[in-house]
Amino acid sequence: MDSQKLSMQKTANYTALVVGATGIAGSNLAAKLLENRWTVYGLSRNPKNDIKGLQPIAADLLLTESLTNALMDVAPTHVFFTTWMRNDTEEENIRVNSAMIRNLLNVLSAKKSVKHVSLVTGLKHYLGPFDAYAKAGTLPETPLREEQPRLDIPNFYYAQEDEVYEAAARDGFSWNIHRPHTLIGNAIGNAMNMGATLAVYASICKHEGTPFIWPGSEAQWNGISDVTDAKVLADQMIWAANNPEAHNTAFNSTNGDVFRWKWLWPKIAAWFQIEFEGYHDTIKPLETVLDKKQAVWREITKENQLIEEDLNQLASAWHTDLDLGRPLEVMTDMSRSRKLGFTVYKDTKDSFFELFTELRNDQIIP
């Protein structure tokens, strides 16, 4: 029997619980797992039925009783935790987001079914919460590498990791931590969606005949950056979960290329057939611009028969501003996973253009 058939037989016996299955990371992961013949449950507070084969579960991660009831008949072999909840302070982020992981793994502990847990965090592991690295005056050395020590400041990513480590020691499962940069992918209603945010902004610029103005910092405009296609992250998560040599390890996750925004920004403008303006003297927050465009977006949706007229369901300008307003260039080192055999690569320009095409085909943008 060839290795492909053996692999298919192996994964056919796997049951995945994707936590946050409606988000960018979770939805793309669920689709990839289903392609690989996994049994896949998707846990969310408000599940959707838009992924064929996904078995949705509605539950509140902060309520143990809700989780216990929802997971009564579910015994996953693999847990993929891809969600978080934004709060007003980092202390609240720590309390709430660690509780979500702890509650879930405690409920699953009694089943003794879990063999592996994967947690998605991100580059704030190295940078710290935005206010911290923007104000402290101490910036990390780039490229960012997995072996860099934790920062000596509160960070909910660290609290999430510690919950996984504690449960793994108790229950004997293996784990992986995945640290993507900005995720590029299709997921409506997601709280951190740069690709959709820029698509909506560009569509408004085209409608009004105004230039596509760079909202971020000089360091980001001129410096080297990278991003993470959600499908690349999904591939890495499945690869790591399936490879014992990769277990119990943290991995950076990016497309594998690097770029400068001053190169990519004009190309995005050209895709939408609009003029652009680069960095000039100061940051020009996108949130300030889009906060005033709800009526314009409703007009655009009516004219083009689009399916979502609520601008806030599509754009998360606050998050795009945080990413593009960073006071340093940010790129990551991918050597650790490359050495172990993960070689998936994606051209970042293609990540954006493929997403824009999907959004247009889905009648999200004109």
Side-chain angles (χ1 to χ4, degrees):
M1 185 177 293
D2 63 38
S3 60
Q4 184 176 3
K5 288 182 179 178
L6 282 170
S7 177
M8 291 178 70
Q9 281 188 353
K10 181 181 179 182
T11 58
N13 295 320
Y14 287 166
T15 298
L17 178 64
V18 178
V19 184
T22 59
I24 296 178
S27 61
N28 282 275
L29 172 63
K32 287 266 187 181
L33 289 167
L34 289 163
E35 288 175 12
N36 284 275
R37 295 186 57 181
W38 291 53
T39 298
V40 185
Y41 293 89
L43 189 153
S44 304
R45 279 181 297 175
N46 300 296
K48 299 177 183 178
N49 292 310
D50 55 352
I51 300 177
K52 185 179 180 182
L54 179 65
Q55 301 179 58
I57 297 173
D60 187 333
L61 288 162
L62 293 174
L63 299 175
T64 301
E65 184 178 356
S66 172
L67 283 168
T68 300
N69 292 335
L71 297 170
M72 187 174 298
D73 298 320
V74 180
T77 57
H78 292 68
V79 176
F80 297 93
F81 203 98
T82 71
T83 191
W84 71 288
M85 187 179 296
R86 186 187 182 200
N87 297 274
D88 291 336
T89 66
E90 193 62 17
E91 287 69 24
E92 274 297 286
N93 280 334
I94 290 169
R95 184 185 67 82
V96 170
N97 289 287
S98 61
M100 292 196 299
I101 293 181
R102 182 170 62 254
N103 292 345
L104 176 67
L105 296 181
N106 284 348
V107 167
L108 293 175
S109 180
K111 297 176 182 291
K112 302 188 184 302
S113 65
V114 177
K115 301 179 184 299
H116 189 82
V117 172
S118 301
L119 170 65
V120 177
T121 60
L123 296 197
K124 286 192 291 294
H125 181 94
Y126 310 106
L127 303 173
F130 179 78
D131 285 347
Y133 76 75
K135 295 177 181 177
T138 55
L139 302 174
E141 183 178 357
T142 57
L144 303 170
R145 301 176 189 275
E146 296 94 340
E147 63 269 20
Q148 289 175 218
R150 289 181 173 184
L151 303 174
D152 189 22
I153 54 177
N155 191 323
F156 80 88
Y157 283 170
Y158 304 160
Q160 287 184 309
E161 287 185 352
D162 288 344
E163 293 294 344
V164 172
Y165 302 154
E166 184 176 336
R170 177 191 68 203
D171 296 336
F173 57 73
S174 55
W175 53 267
N176 284 114
I177 311 296
H178 298 268
R179 299 171 185 161
H181 199 166
T182 302
L183 280 172
I184 306 302
N186 193 352
I188 303 308
N190 190 268
M192 300 187 296
N193 196 332
M194 178 190 283
T197 300
L198 295 183
V200 166
Y201 174 44
S203 299
I204 291 172
C205 291
K206 187 169 187 177
H207 178 79
E208 296 189 317
T210 55
F212 187 55
I213 298 173
W214 169 253
S217 68
E218 182 178 15
Q220 280 289 297
W221 177 253
N222 290 315
I224 295 174
S225 191
D226 51 24
V227 297
T228 308
D229 192 292
K231 294 181 176 66
V232 172
L233 174 61
D235 282 333
Q236 190 192 60
M237 294 179 77
I238 296 169
W239 162 80
N242 275 329
N243 285 275
E245 287 186 355
H247 288 175
N248 305 327
T249 307
F251 291 112
N252 291 333
S253 181
T254 65
N255 284 353
D257 65 349
V258 294
F259 65 94
R260 300 182 197 272
W261 277 107
K262 68 179 181 181
W263 169 83
L264 183 58
W265 197 255
K267 294 186 177 342
I268 293 175
W271 195 93
F272 284 94
Q273 298 179 312
I274 54 178
E275 299 297 317
F276 77 93
E277 289 183 11
Y279 177 82
H280 293 299
D281 301 323
T282 186
I283 290 174
K284 299 173 182 176
L286 188 54
E287 189 171 20
T288 303
V289 176
L290 293 187
D291 276 351
K292 303 172 184 176
K293 299 299 182 181
Q294 180 62 65
V296 175
W297 185 252
R298 281 197 295 268
E299 183 179 306
I300 292 172
T301 59
K302 289 179 181 178
E303 284 184 8
N304 296 277
Q305 298 181 314
L306 305 180
I307 65 173
E308 181 54 71
E309 67 172 18
D310 185 354
L311 183 61
N312 294 323
Q313 284 295 305
L314 303 177
S316 47
W318 68 271
H319 177 258
T320 297
D321 283 339
L322 293 185
D323 272 9
L324 300 185
R326 289 168 174 160
L328 74 165
E329 64 178 15
V330 178
M331 85 292 292
T332 56
D333 179 75
M334 287 286 290
S335 298
R336 178 177 286 184
S337 60
R338 295 289 189 247
K339 287 179 180 178
L340 290 173
F342 181 72
T343 58
V344 174
Y345 169 91
K346 183 77 176 182
D347 185 311
T348 288
K349 178 166 55 65
D350 292 344
S351 288
F352 278 98
F353 291 178
E354 288 171 13
L355 172 62
F356 298 156
T357 300
E358 284 183 43
L359 294 174
R360 182 167 286 172
N361 290 342
D362 292 343
Q363 294 181 281
I364 304 298
I365 62 171

